[in-house]
RNA sequence: CGGGGCGUAGCGCAGCCUGGCAGCGCACCUGCCUUGGGAGCAGGGGGUCGGCGGUUCAAAUCCGCCCGCCCCGACCA
């Protein structure tokens, strides 16, 4: 007889043999609850900033999410491929993104001094593949996808796998002959994503979104609703409008009392810089202040005016200026242009720069601005008189209660975690890279593309963020690492034998089951069981000794019922 | 990139100010005991005190440089 493998002796899903390093206390490095719980439950361990290893329990959850995605993508007719993480610079130079992707694109050279990067996304690679292989409209439509690691050298990785530098992503790309085809595929992916996140047991919301570095015409983000989310959403309950606040159009009514223009006056404001400080110092409301913001957009510097109580929306500014990124001008630039230290910039006397203003400034009279001079502000400033009339655009961030741009009812603001993002790319990449096909008339035309991403690890973290209590994780059934956990509470042979029989039987019935056969006291087993969040706990202990029945405890509700061991497999496999 | 904090056993931390044996709790190993919500007793193992350099008879502790991690900011005008 063959010797039994010492690692799998008695079956591999025994906790006494399972690599599950749980932590009794919160690790100090973790801030948000999902990160703490993933570390404590032995799902992940950090290797370096934003770089994580998935341990067996965590990997099982990751795989379950992956498999839901795979099933739904396949069902939608997409075909799975696997592309390289390492990508040659040449492809990125073709689309121009080598230059303007920014420092999160990790670049390096191989031994022959050829330039490469770690792929933060795969538009270039897929477009290269398809331009080489697809010739005819007969090959269309086509959707390809992969589930593979990505690398983005984030400024500030945080929250564990929620904002990691290396992360697992599902990315899909659609290719069509025309806009109509793209529209069909975009809708198909929208529906597929809805199915995926619903199956993962998440409460989520699809919102209109900015297209950012990926580009394209239209896009939606799928947001898991959570207070710890990094994105703010504007949602209208009345008509269903929902948008990332970065994008949400502001249709705020600006009603300003008619008042005569008063003479310009300079006021000393020593050391008074921020809006709150200036307003308090001069005894006026922040709505009477106009902030003067200097931005660097490529080589150009632009000046933007906005009412003091409002927030400037950099995404709107970036899209208006049609540049890949805008950033606040540094102190040196501010001083050179305004002649004053940061905190005292104003539009009066500025020249040689483009002057923009948010709609909130239009109609505003006798406002307060910096005087372009240290420790001084102007009162009673009026555009058209004291400085040239600026170009007005919608450049502010939507606020709670602003009117919905579609129906006018007040908007709600909530927070969300972006787990999915879909884009209509159009011909941006196909034209740049010459990815064309021959249509029915034999004309050469660029492929019309879409792209569709899901953060797999982030989805796991978001699910935990939404499903936990003070004792630990409560996994939604579809993504739980196991369906049931057998707790053997006591060292007696009879308990062990009964547990082992149950364990074998459940496995034979196809129920994913883990058995806590460790020589630990009941308290330890209960605590770990609640922490790792497996939906059902099967307790073989006191009740079994007394009655021969076991207890079935549901993790989510804490409900316990007594049940005969024989009826368990049927109950759990349903 | 700017500001702040931290780095001492696997985890959580004290010791540092005022230099003089490297500690506590949990975890781990052995034995006894115990078995329904992170038990108890006894014994034990484990440390480049983030790194390098300096000051000193003597450095976890003081000084300098570097590295790493966490938080906040990058919307200040």
């Amino acid at each position: 007889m063959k010797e039994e493998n010492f690692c799998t002796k008695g079956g591999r899903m025994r906790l006494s043999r399972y690599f599950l390093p749980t932590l009794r206390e919160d690790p100090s490095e973790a801030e948000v609850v999902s990160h703490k719980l993933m570390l404590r439950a032995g799902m992940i361990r950090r290797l370096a900033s934003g770089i994580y290893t998935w341990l067996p329990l965590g990997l099982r959850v990751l795989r379950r999410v992956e498999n839901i995605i795979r099933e739904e993508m396949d069902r939608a007719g997409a075909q799975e491929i696997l592309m390289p993480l390492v990508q040659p610079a040449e492809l990125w130079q073709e689309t121009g993104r080598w230059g303007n992707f920014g420092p999160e694109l990790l670049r390096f050279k191989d031994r022959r001094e050829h330039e490469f990067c770690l792929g933060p996304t795969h538009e270039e690679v897929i477009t290269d593949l398809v331009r080489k292989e697809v010739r005819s409209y007969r090959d269309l439509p086509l959707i390809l996808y992969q589930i593979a690691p990505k690398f983005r050298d984030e400024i500030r990785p945080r929250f564990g796998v929620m904002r990691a530098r290396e992360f697992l992503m599902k990315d899909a790309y659609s290719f069509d002959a025309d806009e109509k085809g793209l529209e069909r595929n975009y809708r198909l992916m929208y529906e597929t994503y809805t199915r995926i996140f619903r199956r993962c047991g998440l409460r989520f919301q699809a919102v209109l979104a900015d297209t950012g570095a990926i580009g394209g015409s239209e896009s939606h983000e799928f947001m898991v609703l959570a207070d710890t989310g990094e994105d703010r959403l504007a949602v209208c309950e009345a008509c269903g409008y929902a948008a990332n606040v970065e994008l949400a159009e502001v249709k705020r009514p600006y009603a300003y009392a008619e008042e005569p223009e008063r003479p310009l006056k300079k006021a000393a404001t020593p050391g008074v810089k921020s809006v709150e400080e200036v307003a308090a110092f001069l005894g006026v409301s922040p709505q009477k202040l106009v902030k003067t913001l200097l931005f660097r957009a490529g080589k150009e510097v632009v000046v933007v005016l906005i009412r003091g109580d409002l927030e400037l929306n950099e995404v709107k500014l970036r899209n208006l200026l049609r540049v890949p990124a805008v950033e606040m001008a540094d102190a040196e630039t501010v001083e050179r242009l305004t002649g004053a230290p940061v905190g005292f910039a104003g539009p009066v006397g500025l020249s040689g720069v483009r002057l923009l203003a948010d709609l909130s400034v239009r109609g505003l009279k006798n406002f307060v601005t910096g005087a372009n001079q240290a420790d001084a502000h102007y009162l009673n400033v009026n555009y058209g008189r004291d400085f040239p009339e600026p170009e007005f655009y919608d450049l502010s961030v939507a606020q709670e209660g602003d009117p919905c741009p579609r129906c006018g009812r007040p908007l709600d603001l909530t927070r969300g975690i972006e787990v999915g993002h879909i884009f209509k790319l159009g011909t941006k990449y196909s034209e740049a890279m010459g990815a064309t096909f021959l249509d029915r008339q034999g004309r050469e035309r660029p492929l019309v593309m879409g792209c569709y991403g899901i953060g797999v690890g982030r989805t796991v973290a978001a699910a935990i963020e939404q499903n936990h209590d003070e004792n630990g994780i409560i996994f939604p059934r579809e993504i739980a690492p196991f369906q049931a956990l057998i707790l053997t509470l006591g060292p007696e042979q009879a308990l062990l034998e009964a547990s082992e029989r149950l364990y074998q039987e459940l496995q034979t019935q196809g129920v994913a089951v883990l058995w806590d056969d460790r020589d630990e006291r009941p308290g330890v087993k209960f605590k770990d069981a609640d922490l790792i969040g497996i939906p059902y706990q099967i307790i073989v202990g006191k009740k079994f000794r007394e009655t021969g029945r076991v207890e079935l405890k549901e993790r989510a509700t804490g409900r316990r019922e007594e049940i005969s061991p024989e009826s368990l497999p049927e109950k759990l496999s349903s």
Side-chain angles (χ1 to χ4, degrees), chain A residues 312-337:
Chain A
L312 182 95
N313 189 324
E314 289 192 19
V315 169
K316 287 181 181 174
L317 179 63
R318 190 187 72 206
N319 290 338
L320 173 72
L321 298 174
R322 298 176 187 284
V323 291
V326 293
E327 52 181 338
M328 297 291 298
D330 55 67
E332 199 182 319
T333 309
V334 172
E335 280 178 40
R336 183 167 47 79
L337 266 136

PDB file of all heavy atoms in Angstrom, chain A residues 312-337:
ATOM      1  N   LEU A 312     -13.140  73.729  -6.577  1.00  0.00           N
ATOM      2  CA  LEU A 312     -12.861  73.631  -8.004  1.00  0.00           C
ATOM      3  C   LEU A 312     -12.774  72.159  -8.415  1.00  0.00           C
ATOM      4  O   LEU A 312     -12.230  71.338  -7.706  1.00  0.00           O
ATOM      5  CB  LEU A 312     -11.534  74.305  -8.359  1.00  0.00           C
ATOM      6  CG  LEU A 312     -11.313  74.221  -9.872  1.00  0.00           C
ATOM      7  CD1 LEU A 312     -11.808  75.476 -10.549  1.00  0.00           C
ATOM      8  CD2 LEU A 312      -9.896  73.922 -10.229  1.00  0.00           C
ATOM      9  N   ASN A 313     -13.336  71.847  -9.577  1.00  0.00           N
ATOM     10  CA  ASN A 313     -13.329  70.484 -10.090  1.00  0.00           C
ATOM     11  C   ASN A 313     -12.216  70.338 -11.131  1.00  0.00           C
ATOM     12  O   ASN A 313     -12.342  70.786 -12.261  1.00  0.00           O
ATOM     13  CB  ASN A 313     -14.692  70.200 -10.716  1.00  0.00           C
ATOM     14  CG  ASN A 313     -14.852  68.746 -11.085  1.00  0.00           C
ATOM     15  OD1 ASN A 313     -13.899  68.105 -11.515  1.00  0.00           O
ATOM     16  ND2 ASN A 313     -16.047  68.235 -10.909  1.00  0.00           N
ATOM     17  N   GLU A 314     -11.125  69.702 -10.712  1.00  0.00           N
ATOM     18  CA  GLU A 314      -9.963  69.612 -11.615  1.00  0.00           C
ATOM     19  C   GLU A 314     -10.258  68.799 -12.866  1.00  0.00           C
ATOM     20  O   GLU A 314      -9.665  69.021 -13.919  1.00  0.00           O
ATOM     21  CB  GLU A 314      -8.758  69.008 -10.870  1.00  0.00           C
ATOM     22  CG  GLU A 314      -8.178  69.966  -9.850  1.00  0.00           C
ATOM     23  CD  GLU A 314      -6.822  69.515  -9.319  1.00  0.00           C
ATOM     24  OE1 GLU A 314      -6.157  68.677  -9.979  1.00  0.00           O
ATOM     25  OE2 GLU A 314      -6.427  70.003  -8.248  1.00  0.00           O
ATOM     26  N   VAL A 315     -11.155  67.818 -12.733  1.00  0.00           N
ATOM     27  CA  VAL A 315     -11.477  66.990 -13.898  1.00  0.00           C
ATOM     28  C   VAL A 315     -12.178  67.830 -14.967  1.00  0.00           C
ATOM     29  O   VAL A 315     -11.874  67.735 -16.151  1.00  0.00           O
ATOM     30  CB  VAL A 315     -12.331  65.781 -13.471  1.00  0.00           C
ATOM     31  CG1 VAL A 315     -12.885  65.065 -14.693  1.00  0.00           C
ATOM     32  CG2 VAL A 315     -11.501  64.839 -12.616  1.00  0.00           C
ATOM     33  N   LYS A 316     -13.100  68.672 -14.531  1.00  0.00           N
ATOM     34  CA  LYS A 316     -13.782  69.544 -15.491  1.00  0.00           C
ATOM     35  C   LYS A 316     -12.784  70.484 -16.161  1.00  0.00           C
ATOM     36  O   LYS A 316     -12.845  70.734 -17.363  1.00  0.00           O
ATOM     37  CB  LYS A 316     -14.871  70.350 -14.789  1.00  0.00           C
ATOM     38  CG  LYS A 316     -16.095  69.519 -14.413  1.00  0.00           C
ATOM     39  CD  LYS A 316     -17.149  70.376 -13.733  1.00  0.00           C
ATOM     40  CE  LYS A 316     -18.365  69.524 -13.342  1.00  0.00           C
ATOM     41  NZ  LYS A 316     -19.337  70.325 -12.554  1.00  0.00           N
ATOM     42  N   LEU A 317     -11.848  71.001 -15.362  1.00  0.00           N
ATOM     43  CA  LEU A 317     -10.838  71.909 -15.905  1.00  0.00           C
ATOM     44  C   LEU A 317      -9.964  71.195 -16.940  1.00  0.00           C
ATOM     45  O   LEU A 317      -9.716  71.703 -18.030  1.00  0.00           O
ATOM     46  CB  LEU A 317      -9.977  72.463 -14.772  1.00  0.00           C
ATOM     47  CG  LEU A 317      -8.856  73.416 -15.191  1.00  0.00           C
ATOM     48  CD1 LEU A 317      -9.433  74.675 -15.839  1.00  0.00           C
ATOM     49  CD2 LEU A 317      -7.969  73.791 -14.014  1.00  0.00           C
ATOM     50  N   ARG A 318      -9.541  69.990 -16.555  1.00  0.00           N
ATOM     51  CA  ARG A 318      -8.685  69.203 -17.441  1.00  0.00           C
ATOM     52  C   ARG A 318      -9.400  68.918 -18.757  1.00  0.00           C
ATOM     53  O   ARG A 318      -8.831  69.024 -19.842  1.00  0.00           O
ATOM     54  CB  ARG A 318      -8.340  67.884 -16.739  1.00  0.00           C
ATOM     55  CG  ARG A 318      -7.289  67.076 -17.417  1.00  0.00           C
ATOM     56  CD  ARG A 318      -7.154  65.738 -16.742  1.00  0.00           C
ATOM     57  NE  ARG A 318      -8.303  64.901 -17.028  1.00  0.00           N
ATOM     58  CZ  ARG A 318      -8.738  63.925 -16.240  1.00  0.00           C
ATOM     59  NH1 ARG A 318      -8.153  63.673 -15.091  1.00  0.00           N
ATOM     60  NH2 ARG A 318      -9.784  63.202 -16.585  1.00  0.00           N
ATOM     61  N   ASN A 319     -10.678  68.545 -18.673  1.00  0.00           N
ATOM     62  CA  ASN A 319     -11.421  68.231 -19.885  1.00  0.00           C
ATOM     63  C   ASN A 319     -11.648  69.473 -20.730  1.00  0.00           C
ATOM     64  O   ASN A 319     -11.586  69.423 -21.957  1.00  0.00           O
ATOM     65  CB  ASN A 319     -12.750  67.569 -19.529  1.00  0.00           C
ATOM     66  CG  ASN A 319     -12.533  66.175 -18.989  1.00  0.00           C
ATOM     67  OD1 ASN A 319     -11.496  65.543 -19.243  1.00  0.00           O
ATOM     68  ND2 ASN A 319     -13.501  65.680 -18.240  1.00  0.00           N
ATOM     69  N   LEU A 320     -11.871  70.609 -20.083  1.00  0.00           N
ATOM     70  CA  LEU A 320     -12.062  71.866 -20.799  1.00  0.00           C
ATOM     71  C   LEU A 320     -10.799  72.228 -21.573  1.00  0.00           C
ATOM     72  O   LEU A 320     -10.846  72.636 -22.727  1.00  0.00           O
ATOM     73  CB  LEU A 320     -12.403  72.976 -19.806  1.00  0.00           C
ATOM     74  CG  LEU A 320     -12.468  74.392 -20.379  1.00  0.00           C
ATOM     75  CD1 LEU A 320     -13.727  74.528 -21.242  1.00  0.00           C
ATOM     76  CD2 LEU A 320     -12.467  75.433 -19.283  1.00  0.00           C
ATOM     77  N   LEU A 321      -9.649  72.074 -20.927  1.00  0.00           N
ATOM     78  CA  LEU A 321      -8.390  72.475 -21.543  1.00  0.00           C
ATOM     79  C   LEU A 321      -7.844  71.412 -22.495  1.00  0.00           C
ATOM     80  O   LEU A 321      -6.860  71.634 -23.179  1.00  0.00           O
ATOM     81  CB  LEU A 321      -7.349  72.767 -20.452  1.00  0.00           C
ATOM     82  CG  LEU A 321      -7.698  73.908 -19.492  1.00  0.00           C
ATOM     83  CD1 LEU A 321      -6.683  74.000 -18.372  1.00  0.00           C
ATOM     84  CD2 LEU A 321      -7.772  75.229 -20.246  1.00  0.00           C
ATOM     85  N   ARG A 322      -8.481  70.240 -22.486  1.00  0.00           N
ATOM     86  CA  ARG A 322      -8.052  69.126 -23.344  1.00  0.00           C
ATOM     87  C   ARG A 322      -6.591  68.768 -23.130  1.00  0.00           C
ATOM     88  O   ARG A 322      -5.799  68.671 -24.072  1.00  0.00           O
ATOM     89  CB  ARG A 322      -8.267  69.457 -24.833  1.00  0.00           C
ATOM     90  CG  ARG A 322      -9.714  69.697 -25.165  1.00  0.00           C
ATOM     91  CD  ARG A 322      -9.863  70.112 -26.618  1.00  0.00           C
ATOM     92  NE  ARG A 322     -11.226  70.507 -26.900  1.00  0.00           N
ATOM     93  CZ  ARG A 322     -12.224  69.638 -27.053  1.00  0.00           C
ATOM     94  NH1 ARG A 322     -12.010  68.348 -26.979  1.00  0.00           N
ATOM     95  NH2 ARG A 322     -13.437  70.079 -27.275  1.00  0.00           N
ATOM     96  N   VAL A 323      -6.211  68.628 -21.855  1.00  0.00           N
ATOM     97  CA  VAL A 323      -4.844  68.195 -21.530  1.00  0.00           C
ATOM     98  C   VAL A 323      -4.946  66.940 -20.687  1.00  0.00           C
ATOM     99  O   VAL A 323      -5.979  66.688 -20.062  1.00  0.00           O
ATOM    100  CB  VAL A 323      -4.063  69.280 -20.751  1.00  0.00           C
ATOM    101  CG1 VAL A 323      -3.778  70.458 -21.643  1.00  0.00           C
ATOM    102  CG2 VAL A 323      -4.817  69.719 -19.512  1.00  0.00           C
ATOM    103  N   PRO A 324      -3.902  66.131 -20.658  1.00  0.00           N
ATOM    104  CA  PRO A 324      -3.963  64.883 -19.885  1.00  0.00           C
ATOM    105  C   PRO A 324      -4.005  65.119 -18.383  1.00  0.00           C
ATOM    106  O   PRO A 324      -4.520  64.286 -17.646  1.00  0.00           O
ATOM    107  CB  PRO A 324      -2.698  64.129 -20.277  1.00  0.00           C
ATOM    108  CG  PRO A 324      -1.834  65.089 -21.010  1.00  0.00           C
ATOM    109  CD  PRO A 324      -2.684  66.223 -21.466  1.00  0.00           C
ATOM    110  N   ALA A 325      -3.455  66.238 -17.913  1.00  0.00           N
ATOM    111  CA  ALA A 325      -3.457  66.465 -16.473  1.00  0.00           C
ATOM    112  C   ALA A 325      -3.298  67.946 -16.188  1.00  0.00           C
ATOM    113  O   ALA A 325      -2.654  68.669 -16.935  1.00  0.00           O
ATOM    114  CB  ALA A 325      -2.322  65.688 -15.811  1.00  0.00           C
ATOM    115  N   VAL A 326      -3.908  68.391 -15.106  1.00  0.00           N
ATOM    116  CA  VAL A 326      -3.619  69.732 -14.609  1.00  0.00           C
ATOM    117  C   VAL A 326      -3.115  69.580 -13.181  1.00  0.00           C
ATOM    118  O   VAL A 326      -3.461  68.638 -12.494  1.00  0.00           O
ATOM    119  CB  VAL A 326      -4.867  70.642 -14.594  1.00  0.00           C
ATOM    120  CG1 VAL A 326      -5.342  70.935 -15.988  1.00  0.00           C
ATOM    121  CG2 VAL A 326      -5.980  70.039 -13.766  1.00  0.00           C
ATOM    122  N   GLU A 327      -2.256  70.498 -12.769  1.00  0.00           N
ATOM    123  CA  GLU A 327      -1.850  70.471 -11.369  1.00  0.00           C
ATOM    124  C   GLU A 327      -1.733  71.896 -10.854  1.00  0.00           C
ATOM    125  O   GLU A 327      -1.477  72.823 -11.607  1.00  0.00           O
ATOM    126  CB  GLU A 327      -0.524  69.720 -11.199  1.00  0.00           C
ATOM    127  CG  GLU A 327       0.563  70.222 -12.121  1.00  0.00           C
ATOM    128  CD  GLU A 327       1.868  69.453 -11.945  1.00  0.00           C
ATOM    129  OE1 GLU A 327       2.058  68.859 -10.869  1.00  0.00           O
ATOM    130  OE2 GLU A 327       2.680  69.464 -12.880  1.00  0.00           O
ATOM    131  N   MET A 328      -1.908  72.044  -9.529  1.00  0.00           N
ATOM    132  CA  MET A 328      -1.767  73.350  -8.911  1.00  0.00           C
ATOM    133  C   MET A 328      -0.347  73.838  -9.195  1.00  0.00           C
ATOM    134  O   MET A 328       0.605  73.075  -9.096  1.00  0.00           O
ATOM    135  CB  MET A 328      -1.941  73.245  -7.398  1.00  0.00           C
ATOM    136  CG  MET A 328      -3.300  72.785  -6.943  1.00  0.00           C
ATOM    137  SD  MET A 328      -4.622  73.961  -7.225  1.00  0.00           S
ATOM    138  CE  MET A 328      -4.087  75.337  -6.227  1.00  0.00           C
ATOM    139  N   ALA A 329      -0.247  75.130  -9.536  1.00  0.00           N
ATOM    140  CA  ALA A 329       1.082  75.690  -9.781  1.00  0.00           C
ATOM    141  C   ALA A 329       1.869  75.703  -8.474  1.00  0.00           C
ATOM    142  O   ALA A 329       1.298  75.876  -7.402  1.00  0.00           O
ATOM    143  CB  ALA A 329       0.937  77.105 -10.313  1.00  0.00           C
ATOM    144  N   ASP A 330       3.175  75.505  -8.576  1.00  0.00           N
ATOM    145  CA  ASP A 330       3.984  75.512  -7.353  1.00  0.00           C
ATOM    146  C   ASP A 330       4.190  76.947  -6.871  1.00  0.00           C
ATOM    147  O   ASP A 330       3.927  77.918  -7.581  1.00  0.00           O
ATOM    148  CB  ASP A 330       5.324  74.819  -7.610  1.00  0.00           C
ATOM    149  CG  ASP A 330       6.050  75.429  -8.781  1.00  0.00           C
ATOM    150  OD1 ASP A 330       6.474  76.595  -8.667  1.00  0.00           O
ATOM    151  OD2 ASP A 330       6.175  74.756  -9.836  1.00  0.00           O
ATOM    152  N   ALA A 331       4.677  77.065  -5.643  1.00  0.00           N
ATOM    153  CA  ALA A 331       4.800  78.374  -4.999  1.00  0.00           C
ATOM    154  C   ALA A 331       5.644  79.329  -5.838  1.00  0.00           C
ATOM    155  O   ALA A 331       5.336  80.524  -5.958  1.00  0.00           O
ATOM    156  CB  ALA A 331       5.406  78.202  -3.609  1.00  0.00           C
ATOM    157  N   GLU A 332       6.677  78.802  -6.458  1.00  0.00           N
ATOM    158  CA  GLU A 332       7.594  79.626  -7.241  1.00  0.00           C
ATOM    159  C   GLU A 332       6.869  80.257  -8.438  1.00  0.00           C
ATOM    160  O   GLU A 332       6.999  81.461  -8.699  1.00  0.00           O
ATOM    161  CB  GLU A 332       8.726  78.721  -7.740  1.00  0.00           C
ATOM    162  CG  GLU A 332       9.981  79.436  -8.165  1.00  0.00           C
ATOM    163  CD  GLU A 332      10.987  78.406  -8.666  1.00  0.00           C
ATOM    164  OE1 GLU A 332      11.101  77.338  -8.033  1.00  0.00           O
ATOM    165  OE2 GLU A 332      11.609  78.663  -9.705  1.00  0.00           O
ATOM    166  N   THR A 333       6.090  79.430  -9.136  1.00  0.00           N
ATOM    167  CA  THR A 333       5.328  79.924 -10.275  1.00  0.00           C
ATOM    168  C   THR A 333       4.321  80.976  -9.828  1.00  0.00           C
ATOM    169  O   THR A 333       4.136  82.000 -10.486  1.00  0.00           O
ATOM    170  CB  THR A 333       4.585  78.759 -10.960  1.00  0.00           C
ATOM    171  OG1 THR A 333       5.522  77.716 -11.216  1.00  0.00           O
ATOM    172  CG2 THR A 333       3.941  79.202 -12.250  1.00  0.00           C
ATOM    173  N   VAL A 334       3.657  80.711  -8.709  1.00  0.00           N
ATOM    174  CA  VAL A 334       2.675  81.661  -8.197  1.00  0.00           C
ATOM    175  C   VAL A 334       3.339  83.004  -7.923  1.00  0.00           C
ATOM    176  O   VAL A 334       2.834  84.063  -8.314  1.00  0.00           O
ATOM    177  CB  VAL A 334       2.010  81.121  -6.898  1.00  0.00           C
ATOM    178  CG1 VAL A 334       1.125  82.195  -6.265  1.00  0.00           C
ATOM    179  CG2 VAL A 334       1.187  79.871  -7.199  1.00  0.00           C
ATOM    180  N   GLU A 335       4.493  82.965  -7.293  1.00  0.00           N
ATOM    181  CA  GLU A 335       5.174  84.216  -6.972  1.00  0.00           C
ATOM    182  C   GLU A 335       5.634  84.965  -8.216  1.00  0.00           C
ATOM    183  O   GLU A 335       5.531  86.179  -8.301  1.00  0.00           O
ATOM    184  CB  GLU A 335       6.373  83.942  -6.053  1.00  0.00           C
ATOM    185  CG  GLU A 335       5.935  83.769  -4.613  1.00  0.00           C
ATOM    186  CD  GLU A 335       7.076  83.448  -3.679  1.00  0.00           C
ATOM    187  OE1 GLU A 335       8.160  84.050  -3.849  1.00  0.00           O
ATOM    188  OE2 GLU A 335       6.894  82.578  -2.817  1.00  0.00           O
ATOM    189  N   ARG A 336       6.120  84.186  -9.196  1.00  0.00           N
ATOM    190  CA  ARG A 336       6.615  84.813 -10.409  1.00  0.00           C
ATOM    191  C   ARG A 336       5.476  85.524 -11.145  1.00  0.00           C
ATOM    192  O   ARG A 336       5.615  86.631 -11.645  1.00  0.00           O
ATOM    193  CB  ARG A 336       7.253  83.744 -11.302  1.00  0.00           C
ATOM    194  CG  ARG A 336       7.885  84.258 -12.579  1.00  0.00           C
ATOM    195  CD  ARG A 336       8.765  83.186 -13.231  1.00  0.00           C
ATOM    196  NE  ARG A 336       8.110  81.884 -13.307  1.00  0.00           N
ATOM    197  CZ  ARG A 336       7.203  81.557 -14.231  1.00  0.00           C
ATOM    198  NH1 ARG A 336       6.864  82.436 -15.163  1.00  0.00           N
ATOM    199  NH2 ARG A 336       6.643  80.367 -14.227  1.00  0.00           N
ATOM    200  N   LEU A 337       4.294  84.888 -11.197  1.00  0.00           N
ATOM    201  CA  LEU A 337       3.186  85.441 -11.960  1.00  0.00           C
ATOM    202  C   LEU A 337       2.432  86.538 -11.230  1.00  0.00           C
ATOM    203  O   LEU A 337       1.951  87.490 -11.831  1.00  0.00           O
ATOM    204  CB  LEU A 337       2.222  84.328 -12.348  1.00  0.00           C
ATOM    205  CG  LEU A 337       2.537  83.764 -13.736  1.00  0.00           C
ATOM    206  CD1 LEU A 337       2.470  82.279 -13.754  1.00  0.00           C
ATOM    207  CD2 LEU A 337       1.607  84.390 -14.763  1.00  0.00           C
TER     208      LEU A 337
END
